[in-house]
Amino acid sequence: MTSKPGEGVLSVELGLGGTITVGAHRIAISEIVSILEAIAESGSVQGVATELGLSYRAAWERLRALETSLGHQLVQKTRGHGSTLTPTGVLLREALATAQASLAAPMAREARAIRTRLDPILSRQRRPLTLVASHDLLIMDVAANWPDLVLTVAGSEEALARLTDARTDAAGFHCGSLDNGGAGAAFPERADPPSFRVRPLFEREQGLMLAAGNPHGIRGVTDLAERGIRYVNRQRGSGTRAWFDRLLAQHGIEADRIPGYTTEEFTHQAVAAVIAYGAADAGLGARAAADRFGLDFLPVGWERYYLATALSLPEAAFDALAAALAERARVTPGYRPVNPR
């Protein structure tokens, strides 16, 4: 008998599986894990019986069969302390626990992808896709109200961390200057990881956002340290903050020489607002934010904004959003579509 779609919310959970083969014996890893964990946590064979839904005698028989297959004693009785794992049992438990921990995030990503593929078939309640993205005005304008999409704004590092840990379906991030002689890539180790699909969405111009009319006559990054300019920074972990730090290093400027370096805001728009209200004189950010607040803008360079997803997620899941962003980038000042290189 099959159930009707929509009778329950689809849930997918993947775990450590496979087998260990010793000679002619083939043992399911899931059973080994269950037995060893039950002994370690309960200190008794009764814990194994409860975990596997067996009688006490059947649990002992299952344990002895496992030890025979592996050729080693795994559990020993200790007077007054119940049953404990032998050194071999401890070693085996630790090895499997390490493997389970290292596979937890990839397994969780695969579970999310399976849900995305199966939801339309097995449930009438389609799960909205989630996107954690570094702040960008184009992203906010287009994706904030995109159907069946939940958008969360976070720094590039945090966005990628959430994707890696399977806490989102996609991450939006940027990598700093496109000019090899400029600031360099913010996240080179993330640019093409083997377990993710990375696609460029658009390119945007970043630079120093300055008070209207540039009353301090700022002409470059070095002026920020030499003239006591009040700076407003982006938060740690953001791509823009990483770019600014590299610019300082490129010019040999210590961060403590920048007044306001520790003053942080979490979006390009917030940085622009602080400058527009007269609480700061300069901050690195997107041209679009400077234009929106009527600020002067001193270009630093163009950068590429990326979208990363798990390889197992259907490639078409974000196609429409990517196309919409590319089209808007074509007609929005401070942006441009990605040209093949």
Side-chain angles (χ1 to χ4, degrees):
M1 177 178 179
T2 59
S3 60
K4 296 180 180 179
E7 288 187 353
V9 177
L10 176 63
S11 176
V12 178
E13 183 177 348
L14 303 178
L16 186 64
T19 60
I20 291 179
T21 301
V22 181
H25 300 284
R26 188 179 179 89
I27 314 132
I29 288 178
S30 58
E31 180 174 335
I32 301 174
V33 170
S34 296
I35 291 175
L36 297 181
E37 289 297 325
I39 292 291
E41 293 176 7
S42 69
S44 70
V45 176
Q46 182 58 50
V48 177
T50 302
E51 175 67 21
L52 299 182
L54 303 172
S55 66
Y56 183 81
R57 179 178 179 180
W60 262 114
E61 291 176 352
R62 187 73 62 87
L63 172 60
R64 292 310 178 204
L66 175 60
E67 291 179 327
T68 299
S69 298
L70 292 173
H72 288 274
Q73 183 180 355
L74 301 178
V75 177
Q76 59 190 1
K77 279 186 167 294
T78 304
R79 184 182 298 275
H81 296 284
S83 298
T84 60
L85 294 177
T86 64
T88 299
V90 170
L91 180 62
L92 183 58
R93 177 179 179 239
E94 289 177 348
L96 295 178
T98 299
Q100 194 164 29
S102 66
L103 290 172
M107 286 289 191
R109 290 197 300 270
E110 294 304 313
R112 292 183 73 98
I114 290 173
R115 281 194 59 194
T116 299
R117 291 178 182 274
L118 296 184
D119 258 331
I121 301 172
L122 302 181
S123 173
R124 289 196 181 104
Q125 299 180 355
R126 181 186 296 272
R127 179 181 67 86
L129 293 170
T130 58
L131 168 62
V132 179
S134 175
H135 182 261
D136 175 81
L137 271 66
L138 202 64
I139 289 284
M140 298 304 297
D141 288 346
V142 175
N145 298 309
W146 196 261
D148 296 321
L149 179 69
V150 177
L151 173 66
T152 301
V153 176
S156 287
E157 287 186 358
E158 175 64 17
L160 289 165
R162 293 195 196 187
L163 177 63
T164 301
D165 296 341
R167 290 177 285 154
T168 184
D169 295 306
F173 67 102
H174 53 103
C175 290
S177 176
L178 288 172
D179 179 8
N180 290 332
F187 306 105
E189 73 280 6
R190 304 284 193 177
D192 191 23
S195 55
F196 299 107
R197 179 186 298 111
V198 179
R199 73 167 82 181
L201 293 178
F202 52 79
E203 292 174 359
R204 68 181 183 183
E205 190 175 22
Q206 288 233 54
L208 290 174
M209 299 187 290
L210 310 171
N214 191 10
H216 297 281
I218 298 171
R219 292 291 176 264
V221 174
T222 55
D223 291 341
L224 302 180
E226 295 172 355
R227 303 186 186 180
I229 304 300
R230 296 172 302 164
Y231 188 78
V232 55
N233 215 343
R234 288 293 305 281
Q235 82 278 15
R236 291 182 182 274
S238 68
T240 300
R241 170 67 167 267
W243 192 351
F244 183 65
D245 286 346
R246 288 192 308 276
L247 285 171
L248 293 183
Q250 182 182 348
H251 289 87
I253 301 172
E254 297 293 335
D256 58 11
R257 292 179 57 200
I258 306 296
Y261 176 85
T262 57
T263 302
E264 298 181 349
E265 293 292 343
F266 284 81
T267 67
H268 294 270
Q269 198 160 322
V271 171
V274 170
I275 298 169
Y277 297 153
D281 304 310
L284 189 65
R287 177 184 285 276
D291 289 350
R292 187 164 294 189
F293 282 82
L295 303 177
D296 274 32
F297 184 79
L298 184 63
V300 169
W302 286 84
E303 67 176 353
R304 189 166 291 173
Y305 194 102
Y306 293 89
L307 180 78
T309 59
L311 280 174
S312 52
L313 191 75
E315 188 171 4
F318 285 91
D319 280 354
L321 176 62
L325 288 167
E327 184 58 33
R328 286 287 295 274
R330 196 181 310 278
V331 297
T332 305
Y335 292 91
R336 66 191 184 194
V338 176
N339 294 319
R341 294 177 183 271

